[in-house]
Amino acid sequence: MSAGQDGGLSRPKAEWTPTRDAYMVELLIEQHKSGRTAYNEFKNEVIKSVTWDFNKKFGLNLEENQIKNRYNVMKKDYGVVKTLLSHKEFAWDETRRMVVADDKVWENYIMVRCEARPFRRKSFPLYNQMSIIFEGERGIPKSQFPNGAMVIAEEVNSYTETVRSSKPCNIPTQVMDGTLDSDSIIRINKKHKYMNPAESIHKKRAHLKIGETIENALYEVFTAAKSNAKQRNASKSTSMYKNCLDELQKLEELDDDNEFAKAVNALKDDKNAIAFMTIKGPRRLTWLRSLWH
């Protein structure tokens, strides 16, 4: 370790691996089961205890804020994955520990929620364990968590890709003011410092319901818009093809039935159809015959 400007020793940069992530979450689950959480948040003394146990296990010297920051990253990732799985088009692949869906479903969803992009290819091996913290034991199917054992991934460096913005892509900000992530909820609780617990929980659930409703509505709007655009393109293509056939039949020089049939097939291609309608005069027939000669 190198000496800092204030004469103290600087802390090492935290290097996170699947095993370290799993052990940190295991420690947090123990704290959660002991009732040392408030609305799924850990108090400073809990983070301090977890940091001590974590450093002892791996012979490290991490600070409490490094443990807390890592937990916040994983909490945000958990929120993204859980939201994905709230949509019927997405499913959880227990073998690969990742969210799966058809390519078209991913493309449409990412247009609305860009922070989900990494999870199209990336696994989230600790999703079940994180569910214990946020949902309790009842939130995890028994078949997905055999014998209560922790599943530790292969020991490689963990490249957790976290998108900082929780706002949807290309959506006006004012539209999404009702969509709140867990961090937003924490900020709201801090503003309403004297809110009683029952009222706080009720308001949390109300905000989450509003956010999910808006997100679902936007997802449906984008899916419908993309489908409509596809239908319009298909309609335009059909109309152009019909115009091509009308023009084709006006070519008196094209009197060979075999050549005519070849031309009909060739003009099914949109690029050929555009070129055919653009080229005028004798060059049109010359170009057309070049397609099969």
Side-chain angles (χ1 to χ4, degrees), residues 55-235:
N55 284 334
K56 182 180 178 182
K57 169 75 172 178
F58 297 105
L60 300 173
N61 194 28
L62 300 185
E63 293 180 333
E64 294 166 23
N65 71 314
Q66 291 175 294
I67 295 292
K68 190 170 184 178
N69 289 342
R70 184 58 176 176
Y71 167 70
N72 285 336
V73 167
M74 297 180 70
K75 178 177 68 174
K76 182 167 286 188
D77 285 351
Y78 172 81
V80 173
V81 172
K82 183 182 177 183
T83 302
L84 281 167
L85 295 176
S86 71
H87 298 288
K88 62 182 180 180
E89 295 89 351
F90 294 93
W92 178 251
D93 185 329
E94 180 62 18
T95 302
R96 294 185 293 165
R97 300 296 176 92
M98 65 188 297
V99 181
V100 293
D102 292 337
D103 287 340
K104 288 295 182 182
V105 172
W106 275 113
E107 290 167 8
N108 290 338
Y109 188 84
I110 290 170
M111 289 174 65
V112 181
R113 305 294 296 185
C114 54
E115 72 269 26
R117 185 185 302 275
F119 294 97
R120 185 175 183 178
R121 310 293 181 197
K122 187 181 76 171
S123 65
F124 188 41
L126 294 174
Y127 177 74
N128 290 338
Q129 290 90 323
M130 293 290 287
S131 294
I132 296 177
I133 297 174
F134 294 103
E135 312 297 331
E137 294 283 2
R138 58 184 175 78
I140 302 175
K142 296 295 182 182
S143 60
Q144 293 185 4
F145 211 65
N147 302 322
M150 283 284 180
V151 178
I152 299 178
E154 182 181 354
E155 182 68 18
V156 293
N157 286 334
S158 175
Y159 299 100
T160 303
E161 183 178 354
T162 303
V163 181
R164 297 298 177 189
S165 172
S166 62
K167 294 180 180 178
C169 309
N170 303 321
I171 303 295
T173 303
Q174 62 270 25
V175 175
M176 294 307 298
D177 283 343
T179 301
L180 303 176
D181 58 14
S182 55
D183 292 338
S184 301
I185 295 170
I186 292 169
R187 288 195 292 274
I188 289 172
N189 289 339
K190 288 180 179 178
K191 287 180 181 178
H192 298 278
K193 199 168 184 179
Y194 301 104
M195 185 181 297
N196 67 67
E199 185 180 359
S200 175
I201 292 173
H202 177 74
K203 286 186 176 292
K204 279 184 180 182
R205 290 174 178 171
H207 282 304
L208 284 172
K209 189 173 183 180
I210 291 171
E212 289 176 0
T213 301
I214 293 175
E215 181 181 317
N216 289 338
L218 284 171
Y219 176 59
E220 290 175 3
V221 166
F222 268 82
T223 302
K226 196 165 185 180
S227 176
N228 290 338
K230 188 175 181 180
Q231 290 176 2
R232 286 195 299 270
N233 290 337
S235 178

Side-chain angles (χ1 to χ4, degrees), residues 19 23 26-27 51-60:
T19 297
Y23 186 68
E26 182 180 356
L27 293 174
T51 303
W52 192 89
D53 289 337
F54 184 89
N55 284 334
K56 182 180 178 182
K57 169 75 172 178
F58 297 105
L60 300 173

